[in-house]
């Protein structure tokens, strides 16, 4: 959960099933709990590294969707190789599920732009509830998914430059986004008082992360922009914006999120490395795929770049989206929309789409993937859009007509 302006029972603070947050999950590991978010591959949960230790790399993941609750176990956990627990840097982990996530759980893409500061975001989590005026408090053991809004006020490096030794850790500039918990008064505007970036908050919609929200997403436009990492009560000289000087997620405190746009290459490439049976060349691409009887399975669309980069460090990208043919998104396959990035030393990558398995006899069905807006390269023959089709094969018996 998150600490909010009003009590956690206020409906505005609840992230109910069906409201777009069913891919935000509760993670239990080694007696601890945190939050995570299901990524666009349907198998990987993005969360924080500090939930795990070398002796505890397994987790239990709780999904709450419109279809009810379901708990899955982890198959593998990958910690960011440069995780620095002392200074809260690179605090990220990927948890792979032992089975495909529930079909009803949203899959989320990454926010890839570097314009997060100043934007309003939605934070979601399963942590300890509370209010800005009192801080965190017990909720009699209820497991609730809460949400609130806030605004990314600054990069962590800007805060460190101003506070110096008053900030007792050394965060990497540019890798974390900071927001404070405002109550509408100047005296408790932490970022405004500490680095002169004033903002009095979002009224009753304002909130902050709390213990147990670690790993929870911050969304901008429905995309994962930050991963909740920690909170702090900060002051400088006679400037003490926290209402009670305790680190309890109350008014006047700050929170930090690991900045997803900075870590997108690590996330993308780790996901790509885990896709099973990936085609390496066009002739290996399967354009017809059986649907299976349950859960989901992958079909792949292969994108290749055959030109030359003018700069070896240049990123190439395209935007993509699925489109119905005779197959329908949500019942036959899971719709995807996002951006595919080819990083330095990459000349190709796949876009996975999940096919939904069932035991209903039906005709073979088709759907499409459209690719547009190439950046760093061009489509052949000056095309403005590329389209590929996939056929989902009926594997459930005879169709009578």
């Amino acid at each position: 959960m998150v600490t909010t302006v009003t009590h956690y029972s206020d409906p505005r603070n609840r992230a109910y099933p069906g409201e777009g947050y069913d891919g935000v999950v509760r993670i239990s590991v080694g007696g601890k709990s945190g939050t995570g978010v299901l990524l666009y591959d349907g198998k990987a949960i993005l969360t924080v590294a500090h939930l795990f230790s070398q002796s505890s790399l397994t987790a239990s993941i709780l999904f709450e969707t419109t279809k009810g609750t379901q708990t899955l176990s982890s198959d593998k956990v990958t910690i960011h190789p440069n995780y620095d627990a002392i200074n809260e840097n690179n605090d990220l982990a990927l948890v792979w599920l032992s089975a495909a996530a529930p079909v009803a759980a949203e899959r989320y893409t990454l926010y890839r732009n570097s314009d997060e500061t100043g934007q309003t975001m939605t934070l979601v989590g399963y942590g300890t509830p509370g209010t800005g005026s009192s801080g965190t408090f017990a909720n009699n053991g209820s497991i609730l998914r809460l949400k609130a809004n806030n605004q990314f006020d600054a990069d962590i490096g800007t805060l460190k430059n101003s506070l110096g030794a008053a900030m007792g850790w050394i965060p990497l500039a540019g890798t974390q986004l900071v927001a404070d918990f405002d109550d509408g008064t100047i005296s408790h505007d932490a970022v405004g008082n500490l680095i002169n970036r004033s903002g009095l908050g979002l009224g009753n919609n304002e909130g902050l992360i709390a213990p147990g929200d670690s790993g929870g997403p911050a969304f901008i436009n429905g995309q994962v922009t930050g991963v909740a990492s920690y909170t702090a009560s900060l002051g400088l000289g006679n400037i003490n914006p926290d209402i009670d000087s305790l680190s309890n997620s109350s008014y006047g405190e700050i929170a930090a999120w690991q900045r997803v746009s900075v870590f997108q290459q690590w996330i993308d490439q780790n996901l790509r490395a885990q896709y099973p049976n990936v085609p390496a060349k066009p002739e290996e691409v399967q354009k017809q795929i059986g649907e299976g009887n349950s859960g989901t399975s992958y079909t792949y669309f292969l994108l290749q770049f055959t030109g030359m980069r003018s700069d070896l460090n240049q990123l190439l990208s395209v935007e993509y989206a699925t489109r119905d043919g005779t197959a329908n998104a949500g019942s036959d396959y899971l719709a995807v929309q996002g951006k595919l990035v080819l990083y330095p030393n990459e000349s190709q990558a796949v876009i996975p789409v999940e096919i939904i398995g069932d035991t209903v006899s039906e005709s073979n069905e088709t759907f499409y993937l459209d690719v547009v807006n190439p950046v760093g390269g061009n489509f052949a023959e000056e095309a403005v859009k590329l389209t590929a089709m996939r056929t989902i094969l009926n594997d459930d018996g005879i169709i009578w007509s």
Side-chain angles (χ1 to χ4, degrees):
M1 295 176 225
V2 296
T3 54
T4 47
V5 174
T6 58
H7 192 266
Y8 68 83
S9 60
D10 186 333
R12 85 181 74 201
N13 301 328
R14 297 287 300 276
Y16 292 107
E19 292 187 341
Y21 306 109
D22 292 359
V24 180
V25 300
R26 185 174 188 262
I27 300 176
S28 300
V29 52
K32 298 184 292 185
S33 66
T35 304
V37 61
L38 180 64
L39 295 182
Y40 56 85
D41 68 331
K43 287 288 291 275
I45 303 293
L46 179 63
T47 186
V48 285
H50 74 247
L51 289 178
F52 301 90
S53 65
Q54 291 302 315
S55 60
S56 182
L57 286 175
T58 59
S60 177
I61 298 94
L62 173 70
F63 285 88
E64 286 187 285
T65 74
T66 54
K67 301 298 184 181
T69 61
Q70 181 178 347
T71 300
L72 296 175
S73 60
S74 63
D75 186 53
K76 176 183 177 181
V77 177
T78 299
I79 305 296
H80 194 285
N82 298 320
Y83 171 49
D84 172 8
I86 295 174
N87 294 299
E88 313 282 2
N89 290 318
N90 306 303
D91 185 14
L92 289 175
L94 288 165
V95 179
W96 274 273
L97 302 171
S98 58
V103 170
E106 284 88 1
R107 282 80 164 141
Y108 303 97
T109 57
L110 309 180
Y111 192 87
R112 300 179 183 275
N113 299 327
S114 57
D115 59 353
E116 308 97 334
T117 300
Q119 293 206 55
T120 298
M121 48 79 172
T122 301
L123 50 131
V124 186
Y126 278 94
T128 306
T131 63
S133 58
S134 65
T136 55
F137 52 81
N139 69 324
N140 299 319
S142 299
I143 298 175
L144 298 175
R145 186 171 57 198
L146 293 190
K147 61 180 172 66
N149 293 326
N150 207 311
Q151 178 177 288
F152 286 128
D153 294 307
D155 167 68
I156 192 70
T158 304
L159 205 58
K160 180 64 176 177
N161 287 341
S162 294
L163 299 183
M167 181 185 286
W169 67 101
I170 306 173
L172 292 172
T175 68
Q176 298 172 24
L177 297 165
V178 172
D180 60 13
F181 197 177
D182 292 298
D183 65 355
T185 67
I186 295 174
S187 60
H188 297 141
D189 176 14
V191 174
N193 281 286
L194 294 172
I195 61 172
N196 198 32
R197 290 192 181 180
S198 61
L200 300 184
L202 304 173
N204 286 338
N205 293 320
E206 183 101 351
L208 201 72
I209 59 173
D213 292 318
S214 292
F219 294 110
I220 292 179
N221 298 328
Q223 298 175 319
V224 182
T225 309
V227 176
S229 191
Y230 59 91
T231 61
S233 176
L234 296 173
L236 181 64
N238 62 355
I239 300 174
N240 294 286
D242 189 354
I243 63 169
D244 55 16
S245 299
L246 301 174
S247 185
N248 59 357
S249 301
S250 59
Y251 290 136
E253 293 187 29
I254 66 103
W257 285 257
Q258 302 295 317
R259 190 175 190 173
V260 167
S261 62
V262 172
F263 295 102
Q264 60 180 297
Q265 181 173 353
W266 179 78
I267 296 169
D268 284 339
Q269 292 184 330
N270 271 279
L271 265 61
R272 291 170 191 173
Q274 297 298 315
Y275 297 151
N277 305 314
V278 173
K281 46 191 175 182
E283 52 266 33
E284 294 177 358
V285 174
Q286 295 184 356
K287 299 182 179 181
Q288 298 181 329
I289 183 171
E291 65 179 1
N293 295 327
S294 62
T296 63
S297 58
Y298 289 137
T299 186
Y300 298 108
F301 295 82
L302 177 64
L303 181 80
Q304 292 183 313
F305 176 67
T306 58
M308 295 291 292
R309 283 178 165 92
S310 56
D311 179 352
L312 294 178
N313 294 316
Q314 179 183 12
L315 302 183
L316 310 174
S317 68
V318 295
E319 296 174 6
Y320 62 85
T322 48
R323 175 167 50 89
D324 283 356
T326 54
N328 295 313
S331 57
D332 299 309
Y333 71 97
L334 292 177
V336 299
Q337 181 176 356
K339 178 181 286 188
L340 176 72
V341 179
L342 293 179
Y343 299 100
N345 300 316
E346 283 187 330
S347 60
Q348 65 180 40
V350 296
I351 299 168
V353 177
E354 293 178 83
I355 304 300
I356 301 173
D358 61 38
T359 56
V360 178
S361 294
E362 51 195 342
S363 301
N364 295 342
E365 298 170 312
T366 59
F367 72 96
Y368 304 91
L369 184 88
D370 297 323
V371 178
V372 298
N373 193 25
V375 175
N378 298 301
F379 294 148
E381 300 178 357
E382 299 183 356
V384 296
K385 180 171 71 174
L386 303 179
T387 298
M389 184 179 77
R390 292 292 178 269
T391 300
I392 304 172
L393 299 176
N394 169 54
D395 55 11
D396 297 310
I398 298 173
I399 299 294
W400 295 94
S401 59

